[in-house]
């Protein structure tokens, strides 16, 4: 007779904390998902019999490696790299690579855990993974970044493949870095297949991939508002970050008639009371993607732009907020201020940018809240479409892909509503996203038995 264990949520969380000491980001991500999932698991003995919850919180495997490279002065540098292969129940591991000085195993496990549920929520056949290195690209020359990417890939390549694990970009890894890594993978393996996504259009990349996360986040916000009888056009929006996600979030908001009054980087934020114009956004893209400069430079370049050093954007009154920079960039105080200033809704463009206390404050203040695993899933969804195009040796048009992205974000919203709508009140998108993501992965895991 199989043993069907029962455990309380608190027992589960204590056990996970004891198994993962010194990993606060990972514990935070598991905590957020565990409450709704535990409620479901309590009513479904099959999930308890097969220990789906415990298995989901334990990576399939983690590889870590030394990355040695030479800087421009000839000095040997040593970094640490990782790939967390979290869960491949519904498809090959899929998730980005992050280069940032704060990268460690906890951060990558949190991202890989989120990614597993997010990828499931897209409806596409992708498992969850994440990788990266504690390499800080700021201030590094292009050749240094190239040598680092090549050294990183030399260690990573045995662990990835178009049907096993397909990495992509994330913080500090854009099209340039993907190009360097794909070039090295191709040199080592002598193959040209879709082993990475986020590639340049000339060598197997997908149209709309660069835009997908930011655009998708805005589409998700539109759905949240429409479902609760509101519109996006004409709204005042605060966006944080100035990287890939933030740039295209701002672009789509402007296209849809919203007024975006902030953007930021890790040094501070710009306030543009009249709203960022398309010309200003084009300059910011050039600044960040080509010159690799600081957001502060906008204030000297344009009149009507105020720069606030060392501060975050959340004091600025807005109706919609889009945190698009990094984890835990929006705390309880920020959330309370946003709610007090009349914020209606928040969609997370970044992964876990809102601290748990901030999410609670939004809930208490009646602010609609779209968690990252739903709101920013457009990026990985188009990565999935890049994989499909690569394996079919085809290239779809921008219009076709944007239509697919619109449909996927619609589907994600619908699944969140299916699992997150209560009898009354606003939809609980945290509950909806976690449960909808969980059920598909859990059913696949049940099909395999104990493996
Ligand atoms: P980029 O590297 O392109 O941009 C990151 C932005 O966030 C930069 O403006 C950066 O400023 C800022 N930032 C980074 N770290 C910090 C920090 N500690 N404090 C304040 N600001 C910071 O990354 P992406 O735009 O690709 O990613 C942003 C977020 O979106 C991440 O959470 C990522 O995981 C998530 N995401 C990305 C997807 C994608 O398709 N790219 C898909 C889904 C989620 P600075 O230049 O000063 O470092």
């Amino acid at each position: 007779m199989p043993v069907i264990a029962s455990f309380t949520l608190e027992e589960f969380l204590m056990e996970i904390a004891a198994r993962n000491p010194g990993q606060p980001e990972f514990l935070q991500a598991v905590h957020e998902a565990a409450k709704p999932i535990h409620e479901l698991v309590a009513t479904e003995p099959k999930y308890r019999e097969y220990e789906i919850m415990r298995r989901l919180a334990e990576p399939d495997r983690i590889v870590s490696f030394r990355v040695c490279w030479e800087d421009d002065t000839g000095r040997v540098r040593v970094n640490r790299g990782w790939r967390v292969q979290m869960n491949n129940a519904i498809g090959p591991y899929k998730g980005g690579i992050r280069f940032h000085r704060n990268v460690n195993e906890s951060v990558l496990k949190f991202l890989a855990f989120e990614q597993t549920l997010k990828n499931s929520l897209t409806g596409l056949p992708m498992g969850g993974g994440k990788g990266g290195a504690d390499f800080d690209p700021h201030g590094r020359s292009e050749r240094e970044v190239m040598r680092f990417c090549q050294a990183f890939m030399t260690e990573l390549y045995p662990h990835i493949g178009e049907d096993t694990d397909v990495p992509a970009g994330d913080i500090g890894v854009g099209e340039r870095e993907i190009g360097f890594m794909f070039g090295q993978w191709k040199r080592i393996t002598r193959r040209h297949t879709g082993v990475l996504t986020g590639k340049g259009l000339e060598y197997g990349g997908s149209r709309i991939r660069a835009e997908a996360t930011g655009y998708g986040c805005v589409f998700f916000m539109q759905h949240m508002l429409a479902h609760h009888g509101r519109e996006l056009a004409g709204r005042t929006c605060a966006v944080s970050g100035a990287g890939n996600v933030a740039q295209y979030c701002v672009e789509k908001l402007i296209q849809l008639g919203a007024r975006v009054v902030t953007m930021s980087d890790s040094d501070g934020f710009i306030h543009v009371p009249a709203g960022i114009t398309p010309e200003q956004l084009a300059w910011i893209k050039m600044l960040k993607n080509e010159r690799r400069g600081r957001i502060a430079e906008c204030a000297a370049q344009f009149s009507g732009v105020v720069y606030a050093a060392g501060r975050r954007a959340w004091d600025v009154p807005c109706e919609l907020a889009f945190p698009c920079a990094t984890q835990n960039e929006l705390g309880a105080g920020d959330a309370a201020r946003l709610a007090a200033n009349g914020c209606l809704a928040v969609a997370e463009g970044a992964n876990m940018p809102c601290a748990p206390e901030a999410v609670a404050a939004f809930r208490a203040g009646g602010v609609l809240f779209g968690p990252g695993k739903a709101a920013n899933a457009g990026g990985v969804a188009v990565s999935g479409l890049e994989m499909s195009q690569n394996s079919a040796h085809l290239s779809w048009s921008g219009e076709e892909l944007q239509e697919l992205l619109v449909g996927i974000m619609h589907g994600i919203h619908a699944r969140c509503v299916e699992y997150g709508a209560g009898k009354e009140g606003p939809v609980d998108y945290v509950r909806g996203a976690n449960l909808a993501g969980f059920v598909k992965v859990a059913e696949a895991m049940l099909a395999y038995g104990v493996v």
Side-chain angles (χ1 to χ4, degrees):
M1 277 291 284
V3 177
I4 303 182
S6 286
F7 48 88
T8 66
L9 178 63
E10 289 66 34
E11 284 166 346
F12 174 75
L13 293 176
M14 277 170 59
E15 182 188 312
I16 297 295
R19 280 175 76 79
N20 300 279
Q23 301 200 343
E25 294 86 359
F26 177 58
L27 297 182
Q28 186 182 333
V30 174
H31 274 224
E32 181 199 275
K35 186 169 182 296
I37 291 175
H38 181 267
E39 280 169 24
L40 176 69
V41 167
T43 64
E44 291 280 3
K46 62 183 180 182
Y47 294 147
R48 296 204 306 282
E49 181 183 340
Y50 281 88
E51 291 289 7
I52 301 295
M53 244 180 123
R54 288 193 172 93
R55 287 163 64 192
L56 203 63
E58 189 67 32
D60 287 356
R61 70 193 61 77
I62 301 174
V63 287
S64 90
F65 40 84
R66 186 183 65 220
V67 185
C68 276
W69 57 287
E70 219 174 286
D71 71 16
D72 285 344
T73 68
R75 181 172 161 195
V76 173
R77 301 279 181 164
V78 183
N79 286 95
R80 187 174 293 168
W82 293 265
R83 186 72 183 163
V84 177
Q85 297 182 329
M86 195 77 196
N87 187 299
N88 67 351
I90 65 169
Y93 303 108
K94 179 93 197 85
I97 292 177
R98 177 176 291 192
F99 292 162
H100 193 277
R101 60 183 179 283
N102 294 345
V103 164
N104 56 41
E105 215 167 284
S106 170
V107 168
L108 295 178
K109 279 171 69 179
F110 120 61
L111 290 164
F113 179 81
E114 289 270 306
Q115 197 81 49
T116 301
L117 298 174
K118 178 192 312 192
N119 293 1
S120 166
L121 198 52
T122 65
L124 298 175
M126 299 180 290
K130 203 83 188 189
D134 58 356
F135 168 70
D136 184 358
H138 290 112
R140 290 286 168 204
S141 73
E142 184 148 308
R143 289 300 168 92
E144 289 179 318
V145 171
M146 180 186 79
R147 287 194 292 275
F148 179 80
C149 288
Q150 291 174 339
F152 182 84
M153 182 52 80
T154 302
E155 290 301 324
L156 181 68
Y157 90 91
H159 308 289
I160 62 174
E162 66 274 24
D163 292 321
T164 50
D165 185 350
V166 185
D170 192 77
I171 290 179
V173 178
E175 193 180 315
R176 176 181 71 169
E177 291 74 18
I178 291 289
F180 291 146
M181 286 192 271
F182 187 69
Q184 183 71 352
W185 186 83
K186 190 172 70 62
R187 170 157 76 178
I188 295 170
T189 63
R190 303 181 184 212
R191 298 177 65 224
H192 194 302
T193 64
V195 70
L196 296 176
T197 59
K199 301 185 289 300
L201 279 182
E202 304 77 16
Y203 57 95
S206 175
R207 291 184 180 80
I208 302 290
R209 174 62 191 91
E211 292 87 341
T213 309
Y215 279 19
C217 186
V218 176
F219 296 150
F220 192 82
M221 174 65 92
Q222 268 189 312
H223 282 298
M224 287 203 298
L225 292 172
H227 192 81
H228 296 85
R230 297 193 144 123
E231 276 201 346
L232 184 137
R235 302 281 181 197
T236 301
C237 305
V239 175
S240 66
N244 171 265
V245 179
Q247 290 170 17
Y248 288 102
C249 176
V250 172
E251 182 167 290
K252 186 51 77 181
L253 285 169
I254 296 173
Q255 285 172 10
L256 294 175
R259 185 167 61 106
V260 183
V261 293
T262 66
M263 285 181 82
S264 69
D265 62 19
S266 49
D267 294 338
F269 80 92
I270 52 166
H271 184 201
V272 190
I276 295 172
T277 63
E279 295 69 35
Q280 289 170 335
L281 179 62
W283 192 84
I284 291 169
K285 283 186 185 172
M286 180 280 299
L287 174 76
K288 285 293 177 184
N289 306 345
E290 292 165 34
R291 266 190 38 210
R292 298 182 191 270
R294 310 306 302 159
I295 200 79
E297 297 171 48
C298 293
Q301 181 71 18
F302 300 107
S303 62
V305 175
V306 181
Y307 176 65
R311 288 186 37 215
R312 300 193 274 198
W314 313 123
D315 289 350
V316 175
C318 65
E319 294 165 287
L320 308 177
F322 297 86
C324 295
T326 193
Q327 64 269 11
N328 293 325
E329 56 161 309
L330 198 158
D334 300 316
R337 257 187 319 281
L338 281 166
N341 283 338
C343 183
L344 302 171
V346 178
E348 291 188 321
N351 284 312
M352 212 167 73
C354 301
E357 303 76 26
V359 179
F362 289 138
R363 202 168 267 153
V367 179
L368 287 175
F369 176 72
K373 58 173 75 78
N376 71 34
V380 74
V382 175
S383 276
L385 301 178
E386 183 173 332
M387 289 165 69
S388 305
Q389 292 171 83
N390 289 166
S391 42
H393 302 285
L394 285 173
S395 175
W396 300 334
S397 73
E399 293 73 37
E400 283 174 290
L401 283 155
Q402 182 150 199
E403 214 168 288
L404 287 168
L405 174 63
V406 166
I408 287 169
M409 295 315 294
H410 179 266
I412 291 172
H413 183 266
R415 280 188 277 281
C416 288
V417 172
E418 182 187 343
Y419 285 89
K423 287 200 183 71
E424 54 191 39
V427 175
D428 182 344
Y429 288 96
V430 173
R431 180 182 172 77
N434 282 302
L435 284 183
F438 170 79
V439 167
K440 183 175 170 191
V441 176
E443 290 297 321
M445 289 171 75
L446 287 181
Y448 305 137
V450 181
V451 291

